[in-house]
Amino acid sequence: MLIYEENVPSSYRAPFIAKVQEVSSRLGINPNWLMAIMNWESARTFSPSVKNPLSSATGLIQFMRDTAIDLGTTVEQLAQMSAVDQLEWVYRYYARYRSKLNSYTDLYLTTFYPVAVGKPSNFVLGTSDSRIRAIAKSNPAFDVNKDLKITKGEIEQVMLRKIPSNWINEFKKKTAR
């Protein structure tokens, strides 16, 4: 059993879990990491059509409009896919970063802010003071100390805090490539 498996709608749970296992194997990552990220990003729905009300972000990992286009699809097309089919697009997105997916935090940062992967814990998201503040205001859950800056360390802290204690060791391990 994978983490949050019970949140996947029963109507497609079995093929979805099988596809998560396949995609994770192809990426060389722990499938529980992918499940946790999709649980968070899809607001615990595992729906391919779930949308962020504040942006164009859509689906299992909240594909942004430009990201979808870069992959050769659209957020509208992604929203019309089955969850199992959308997992192939999840694979295509992460495959570009395969060599950097060494931990749960790396996988999440690849989803949220890929530039932060491989950076130290004190790395601040954003390239200018105004962008740093905008990112923090748009993502207050990650601004742990409320200083209007989000660091890689704060993201890791928040993401690990969301993992149930009986699963935490799975999320602190690095991949064995």
Side-chain angles (χ1 to χ4, degrees), residues 4-152:
Y4 304 122
E5 187 173 323
E6 70 280 1
N7 292 356
V8 178
S10 59
S11 61
Y12 58 84
R13 185 176 298 146
F16 184 86
I17 296 302
K19 186 70 173 182
V20 166
Q21 296 277 15
E22 177 209 319
V23 163
S24 297
S25 176
R26 288 164 54 198
L27 292 171
I29 62 170
N30 184 325
N32 288 303
W33 299 350
L34 184 55
M35 287 292 288
I37 288 168
M38 291 186 297
N39 186 67
W40 169 266
E41 291 296 316
S42 73
R44 295 175 299 284
T45 67
F46 289 91
S47 168
S49 61
V50 67
K51 293 188 186 317
N52 181 319
L54 303 176
S55 72
S56 67
T58 303
L60 297 170
I61 61 168
Q62 293 295 281
F63 291 95
M64 296 296 288
R65 186 172 305 285
D66 289 346
T67 302
I69 290 167
D70 187 47
L71 289 170
T73 189
T74 66
V75 290
E76 292 79 14
Q77 289 171 325
L78 287 164
Q80 295 301 312
M81 293 177 187
S82 73
V84 174
D85 289 342
Q86 196 178 103
L87 278 168
E88 190 59 33
W89 293 93
V90 168
Y91 169 78
R92 290 178 191 187
Y93 175 74
Y94 287 128
R96 303 182 302 179
Y97 302 96
R98 184 182 293 125
S99 67
K100 296 182 177 189
L101 304 178
N102 299 312
S103 69
Y104 172 59
T105 303
D106 289 345
L107 188 65
Y108 184 72
L109 286 169
T110 300
T111 311
F112 181 67
Y113 201 86
V115 172
V117 176
K119 300 288 194 268
S121 293
N122 65 350
F123 176 80
V124 176
L125 280 61
T127 54
S128 67
D129 286 343
S130 62
R131 186 71 184 126
I132 289 167
R133 283 190 301 278
I135 292 169
K137 287 179 180 177
S138 298
N139 300 279
F142 290 133
D143 188 9
V144 175
N145 62 7
K146 305 302 176 203
D147 64 353
L148 292 179
K149 291 188 266 187
I150 296 173
T151 65
K152 176 182 174 180

Side-chain angles (χ1 to χ4, degrees), residues 130-174:
S130 62
R131 186 71 184 126
I132 289 167
R133 283 190 301 278
I135 292 169
K137 287 179 180 177
S138 298
N139 300 279
F142 290 133
D143 188 9
V144 175
N145 62 7
K146 305 302 176 203
D147 64 353
L148 292 179
K149 291 188 266 187
I150 296 173
T151 65
K152 176 182 174 180
E154 285 176 308
I155 290 173
E156 182 172 38
Q157 182 181 354
V158 170
M159 293 308 293
L160 287 173
R161 236 191 276 146
K162 295 187 175 304
I163 302 301
S165 60
N166 59 319
W167 286 94
I168 199 66
N169 287 335
E170 286 283 316
F171 289 81
K172 289 186 176 181
K173 295 178 188 173
K174 302 279 184 187

